[in-house]
Amino acid sequence: MGLFVTSASASGQRSEVNRSWWVSLFVLCAILGALLGISFKAQNQIRQKQLPSANYEGLADRYTILKQHSDDSDRTIAALQQQVSRLERAVPNNNGRMAVISQDLQHANFLAGMTEVTGPGIIVTLNDSKKRFPNAPLGVQDAGIIHDSDINGVINELKAAGAEALSINKQRVVGLTAARCAGPTVYVNNIPQTPPYVIQAIGDADTLSTALKLPEGVYDTISQMDPSMIKIDTSPKLLIPTYAGPTQPRFAKPVLAPVSGGG
Amino acid sequence: MGWWLALVAAYLGFAATFYPAFDVDIRYSPYIAVAALAGIDALIGGLRAAQEGKFKSHVFVSGFLVNTLLAAFLVYLGEHLGQRLDTAAVVLLGGRIFVNLSIIRREWMDRLDAAAEKRHAQSRAS
């Protein structure tokens, strides 16, 4: 800046002009400093706030933590459910009426999918195709991939054919179970699943597999793309796990029928 | 004195915005950053002009103000045209800053050389 002085005096400017020049230089430099300050601050803010797009590590960390939390919750739910069934079993020994109620409860639990179930049935294995489909029409660019609609189609068909208990990859299918795609993963009971999707169904094996293999049915639709995507096996003894998700409704309340007489 | 005055002013401006605890709206940071770059460019351009004895204070002041605003406006325009005009501003301003700085540096080197020669001549004379 010393250079400004020499040149200003060299060009013979009066000192009054000089002074106003200093003022404007001062102001301009202050403005420049302010601009720089705001810019620095904005960049600091971006770094500190860890905006998602700029911070994959942070997101991954948070994902791991949330995953851990959810695993913990799963374990808690399983433990509590075990406790409930233990308590239920402990009560009835004392009197006959309780035994009846308890039996009812066991049955209701079984129907609701709150118990493990065993029996004969079929195993349907759905897997993504290893083939490429370069000639697939634009609408089905993801041909060769198992979607939630495929899984739901199989489940629906099995239910219609009289399957009594169902599971997808060890997730029990209960009344409120949803299988749906979110990005590249299929969630069942809000738990992410990866292919192959193994669907177990307890029921009459012949009826179940025939239902799937109806002409133009689910089996046809999937195996048309690639026969290796769907496989049906029968098994004399399947073990279908209990439902492990949350069971406390938040909104629905039961409407109880009025107790009539004798009860 | 001029150097210090300018430095003090710049620091005051910096301190007034950087240290107080307020949140900058990050949406405006691209505009402000390019404006700051234009300001630096104008300052260094002024330095060069002064060195060459062509410095005019009104050119400097108007250049500083207009260029900062224009640079910010260019970014704004680019955002609306879907073109990265801020890249154009950054490349041009950054390039000019480098060119001007190198010219200033050469001039200083020349002066140092001249001073050294002078001292040499004096010591020879005495």
Side-chain angles (χ1 to χ4, degrees):
Chain A
M1 267 340 115
L3 294 160
F4 285 141
V5 190
T6 45
S7 74
S9 50
S11 56
Q13 280 172 329
R14 271 183 213 87
S15 68
E16 205 152 308
V17 181
N18 232 344
R19 197 174 310 138
S20 80
W21 151 239
W22 282 122
V23 171
S24 51
L25 179 69
F26 191 88
V27 171
L28 290 185
C29 282
I31 292 174
L32 180 60
L35 289 174
L36 286 174
I38 293 173
S39 292
F40 277 47
K41 204 183 170 83
Q43 291 305 316
N44 263 3
Q45 254 168 253
I46 289 171
R47 266 192 293 277
Q48 274 166 15
K49 279 196 183 146
Q50 305 190 321
L51 295 180
S53 63
N55 185 16
Y56 292 110
E57 291 89 351
L59 276 182
D61 271 358
R62 229 163 282 178
Y63 170 77
T64 324
I65 291 168
L66 282 177
K67 182 92 173 51
Q68 224 147 25
H69 275 301
S70 111
D71 290 351
D72 286 350
S73 311
D74 281 351
R75 270 195 293 278
T76 314
I77 290 170
L80 288 174
Q81 273 172 356
Q82 261 176 10
Q83 197 183 357
V84 168
S85 52
R86 253 208 317 279
L87 288 172
E88 282 165 5
R89 253 178 269 130
V91 175
N93 300 332
N94 301 330
N95 79 48
R97 196 182 283 176
M98 284 304 281
V100 175
I101 294 176
S102 166
Q103 251 173 9
D104 275 0
L105 189 59
Q106 295 283 341
H107 189 60
N109 273 342
F110 159 67
L111 290 180
M114 305 302 290
T115 60
E116 276 190 327
V117 201
T118 176
I122 64 167
I123 304 168
V124 184
T125 311
L126 301 175
N127 206 345
D128 290 349
S129 172
K130 289 187 174 61
K131 279 203 280 185
R132 292 274 168 272
F133 294 87
N135 298 326
L138 232 85
V140 266
Q141 280 182 335
D142 34 30
I145 293 172
I146 295 292
H147 292 281
D148 47 1
S149 57
D150 301 317
I151 295 172
N152 285 324
V154 170
I155 293 287
N156 204 32
E157 204 60 59
L158 290 171
K159 278 183 182 171
E164 288 165 3
L166 292 153
S167 69
I168 307 167
N169 280 7
K170 298 289 164 200
Q171 284 299 315
R172 181 66 175 270
V173 176
V174 294
L176 291 177
T177 293
R180 68 172 227 286
C181 281
T185 19
V186 172
Y187 283 73
V188 180
N189 286 341
N190 287 327
I191 314 258
Q193 308 293 331
T194 48
Y197 306 103
V198 180
I199 299 172
Q200 298 189 6
I202 290 179
D204 182 61
D206 287 341
T207 318
L208 293 178
S209 53
T210 313
L212 289 179
K213 286 180 171 169
L214 285 174
E216 297 294 307
V218 192
Y219 184 86
D220 277 3
T221 317
I222 298 176
S223 59
Q224 261 166 23
M225 254 187 294
D226 182 355
S228 73
M229 285 171 73
I230 183 164
K231 194 171 68 137
I232 302 178
D233 299 307
T234 59
S235 165
K237 188 164 182 273
L238 293 171
L239 183 68
I240 290 190
T242 173
Y243 175 68
T247 50
Q248 291 304 311
R250 283 171 58 206
F251 301 105
K253 288 195 187 77
V255 179
L256 296 171
V259 182
S260 58
Chain B
M1 176 207 167
W3 260 113
W4 299 120
L5 197 66
L7 272 183
V8 166
Y11 178 73
L12 283 181
F14 185 85
T17 52
F18 188 70
Y19 294 114
F22 70 92
D23 268 6
V24 181
D25 197 333
I26 291 171
R27 279 177 302 167
Y28 301 128
S29 71
Y31 308 116
I32 295 166
V34 173
L37 200 61
I40 295 174
D41 171 58
L43 203 68
I44 290 175
L47 212 61
R48 179 194 162 183
Q51 213 168 41
E52 292 173 354
K54 296 190 287 194
F55 183 82
K56 290 191 181 110
S57 66
H58 57 273
V59 173
F60 174 68
V61 173
S62 66
F64 183 97
L65 292 176
V66 170
N67 277 0
T68 48
L69 290 176
L70 205 64
F73 175 72
L74 207 63
V75 177
Y76 172 83
L77 191 71
E79 210 149 278
H80 282 260
L81 289 175
Q83 298 296 325
R84 310 257 353 202
L85 286 185
D86 56 337
T87 313
V90 168
V91 169
L92 185 77
L93 294 171
R96 208 154 69 180
I97 289 172
F98 273 115
V99 168
N100 283 341
L101 276 179
S102 70
I103 287 171
I104 291 167
R105 179 177 50 81
R106 274 157 201 263
E107 176 67 26
W108 277 355
M109 292 298 122
D110 284 352
R111 283 187 199 186
L112 279 179
D113 280 353
E117 213 155 283
K118 208 169 162 191
R119 251 201 319 265
H120 198 64
Q122 270 172 358
S123 69
R124 228 180 343 192
S126 64

